[in-house]
Amino acid sequence: MKTIQSIQALKSLLDTLRKERKTIGLVPTMGALHPGHLSLVKQSRAENDVTVVSIFVNPTQFNNQQDLQTYPRTLEADCRLLEAAGCDLVFAPSETEMYPEKDIRVFDLGAVAKVMEGKFRPGHFNGVAQVVSKLFYIVEPDRAYFGEKDFQQIAVIRRMVQLLNLPVEIRTCPIIREKDGLALSSRNTRLTAGQRQIAPRIAATLKESVTFAKGKSVKEVIDFVVDTLNRQPGLEVEYYEIVDGSTLQPIEKWEESTEPVGCIAIYCGDVRLIDNIKYKRITT
Ligand code: AMP
């Protein structure tokens, strides 16, 4: 496995591999890797000749400076995990390598980017589009891998790829969870022992809500999730929306969507976590 910091060096190595007709898979990450990231690497290895993992804590997608400063950075440990996972190339650029000048591009990401994370983290998805588009131009991957943990992000990336006519196939992987159900996240390392004990209530409540949903309206299910979690000391729901899995627009009636997905952002102490769950199509 090679670790490369320079765009030029990475591009020239990838050009050689492409001339040998090797297919390239890209897994964009911000590091502090866990088995969720490694599942994307595994998927990429199964479908491509070469797997590139990028590790870059992208400042332009943070709307909260404290979140950016406290974001875990564990490059050495990440490289050990990637080596063991069979990754071929790690691209770990510096901030000036990625942004020699301020990126002033503004993307029209449409309705998928205006709700939920788009509403509560202004500028977040524009920053994601900035960095992921740069990575796509640099790596020119055949396929790129994203986790369903960031469900809305997938729709935003698809929209960006369409907007820019980028020749890359977007592949998605299911959420990897701890044994107690908590969705793996780099931010979980910031939870105190007490918060770590409470956090599994999030996934448990989402799961319970699927059973609860039988015979209930969309609003009743939303209220169930929000009330159950807010009653738990130490948890505070920022939003819980049930949306259509393709358009990401909130639904009012189950009949409006063939793939309803519940998406949550919730504070566990001062750590902001996200998760989501798929509902079966239900007729009330
Ligand atoms: P991040 O480093 O948090 O920006 O995540 C990099 C990629 O890993 C994104 O596509 C995430 O959706 C994905 N990812 C993060 N956590 C998980 C998880 N628990 N299960 C599956 N994919 C994940």
Side-chain angles (χ1 to χ4, degrees), residues 28-30 34 36-37 40 71 146-147 149-150 174-176 184:
T29 82
M30 298 205 297
H34 52 62
H37 299 110
L40 303 180
Y71 201 86
F146 295 88
K149 153 102 176 350
D150 299 84
I175 304 176
I176 305 296
L184 293 184

Side-chain angles (χ1 to χ4, degrees), residues 1 12 18 31 52 57 126 150 158 219 252:
M1 187 182 80
S12 82
R18 252 188 300 271
V52 182
V57 182
N126 199 63
D150 299 84
R158 286 192 198 284
K219 183 172 182 312
E252 282 176 12

